[in-house]
Amino acid sequence: MVIRHDIPLGKACSVRLMRTLRLPDDGREYPLPPGLGSMEAYEVEPGRYVVPMHPREALWLSFDAPYWKPHALRIGIGGVETP
């Protein structure tokens, strides 16, 4: 099993999962929570990762790609995709 901090999405693009605090889901606006470092992603088979999280944690995605080569990405998690 390989442990990664950056997950490659292609030759020149990657994503890093950044640990943060979970905000209440009460409809109110809150300031952005602090970043608490990158999370470890365990590659269980080629292209498939498991990321252990505590129920109180959340994450945000930090994408990295060269500025001169734009990328378009579609995000899906647990069978739920963004529109």
Side-chain angles (χ1 to χ4, degrees):
M1 183 175 329
V2 178
I3 301 172
R4 302 192 66 108
H5 288 276
D6 287 344
I7 299 172
L9 301 176
K11 291 181 181 179
C13 183
S14 66
V15 64
R16 180 173 284 207
L17 309 175
M18 303 300 293
R19 186 181 313 275
T20 190
L21 300 175
R22 193 171 181 170
L23 297 175
D25 190 14
D26 58 7
R28 296 177 23 206
E29 289 189 22
Y30 294 90
L32 289 174
L36 303 173
S38 62
M39 302 180 83
E40 293 180 339
Y42 297 88
E43 188 171 19
V44 293
E45 59 184 62
R48 293 185 57 106
Y49 297 88
V50 172
V51 181
M53 293 177 63
H54 294 283
R56 292 187 191 115
E57 286 183 315
L59 63 85
W60 55 274
L61 305 175
S62 174
F63 295 98
D64 186 38
Y67 73 92
W68 49 265
K69 187 174 183 180
H71 289 71
L73 302 170
R74 185 174 183 182
I75 307 300
I77 297 174
V80 178
E81 294 185 10
T82 59

